[in-house]
Amino acid sequence: LTDYLQWARTAGIDRTVVFSVLTSDSARANGQVAKEIARHRRRLLGFAYVHTRRDAGEVGDLVEDAVARYGFRGIKVHRHDAPITREVCDAAKTLGVPVLYDVADQPSQIQLLADQYPDVPFIIPHLGSFVDRWDTQLAMIDHVERHDNVFADTSGVRNFDLLAKTVRRAGPHKVLFGSDGPWLHPGVELAKIHALELSARDTELI
């Protein structure tokens, strides 16, 4: 995180949500993330990582432990591991935390999740596609616009017209700035938000 934290500081980013990804041991990985947060307490916030298939039957306990012991603020799930499950959604509902779910170009579950768990905020990074699948991102705009509990993350969205369309149709309160650091430069990702040329209030909402 050394380079990332310097880039973020230069860009004027005060705090960043961090989590592990694609790991073989969720509990251990969450503990390692907690150690990084302890080193940079004023800069970092944590989300609990879970692998829905490998951690099946233990998701609730893993997330509850991460929230209670480490003060983590949400749950991270990646479809490249395994699709999201009711177990994750139930844990999020019980603990009152959001779910950051990378749908990896398959947004079809969002309709079902949003309807069945209206009290759970679902954040979809990359507007649903890190590889610029135009059809996926267009479908995600519809979900973000229609469902009060579905939000889009701006990280890695290179189709700028679709990013602008999301803000226009769903509103700036439904769009969250994301950096996808340390792979992407947070200053570059933040520049896209400023390029939208929104009012100061709408920019602050994002």
Side-chain angles (χ1 to χ4, degrees):
L1 289 174
T2 302
D3 286 342
Y4 172 83
L5 288 171
Q6 181 56 51
W7 297 336
R9 183 178 290 110
T10 301
I13 297 170
D14 297 322
R15 304 194 82 180
T16 299
V17 171
V18 292
F19 41 80
S20 181
V21 291
L22 308 178
T23 180
S24 60
D25 187 332
S26 301
R28 180 170 178 268
N30 290 333
Q32 290 175 327
V33 169
K35 290 179 181 178
E36 289 296 326
I37 293 172
R39 292 177 56 208
H40 306 281
R41 198 170 298 278
R42 295 184 179 181
R43 302 286 308 278
L44 302 178
L45 302 169
F47 270 32
Y49 172 88
V50 294
H51 187 299
T52 59
R53 185 175 296 123
R54 189 174 53 243
D55 298 329
E58 301 178 356
V59 168
D61 290 340
L62 278 170
V63 176
E64 185 176 10
D65 181 63
V67 170
R69 186 194 301 188
Y70 306 134
F72 282 9
R73 309 290 187 87
I75 305 171
K76 165 69 177 186
V77 179
H78 203 300
R79 195 191 61 79
H80 278 319
D81 288 327
I84 195 170
T85 60
R86 290 182 182 276
E87 195 177 7
V88 170
C89 299
D90 288 338
K93 181 178 179 180
T94 298
L95 295 166
V97 296
V99 177
L100 179 65
Y101 178 40
D102 192 330
V103 300
D105 302 307
Q106 291 192 11
S108 57
Q109 276 188 298
I110 300 305
Q111 175 82 43
L112 187 64
L113 294 174
D115 288 343
Q116 294 193 354
Y117 293 90
D119 298 329
V120 175
F122 294 97
I123 305 166
I124 312 301
H126 324 309
L127 196 54
S129 176
F130 190 70
V131 294
D132 296 331
R133 281 283 303 271
W134 182 86
D135 54 339
T136 297
Q137 292 178 327
L138 200 59
M140 275 310 311
I141 294 174
D142 187 52
H143 288 303
V144 174
E145 181 182 19
R146 287 191 295 114
H147 300 291
D148 290 340
N149 58 331
V150 177
F151 300 81
D153 160 325
T154 65
S155 64
V157 178
R158 290 172 286 276
N159 289 314
F160 186 78
D161 59 323
L162 294 185
L163 183 60
K165 185 177 291 188
T166 307
V167 175
R168 192 164 57 246
R169 284 179 49 183
H173 64 292
K174 298 299 296 296
V175 179
L176 307 179
F177 166 68
S179 68
D180 209 56
W183 293 282
L184 303 182
H185 193 299
V188 174
E189 294 301 298
L190 188 59
K192 296 187 305 190
I193 309 304
H194 294 307
L196 291 167
E197 298 184 339
L198 304 173
S199 68
R201 178 182 179 279
D202 287 351
T203 300
E204 183 66 21
L205 283 173
I206 295 175

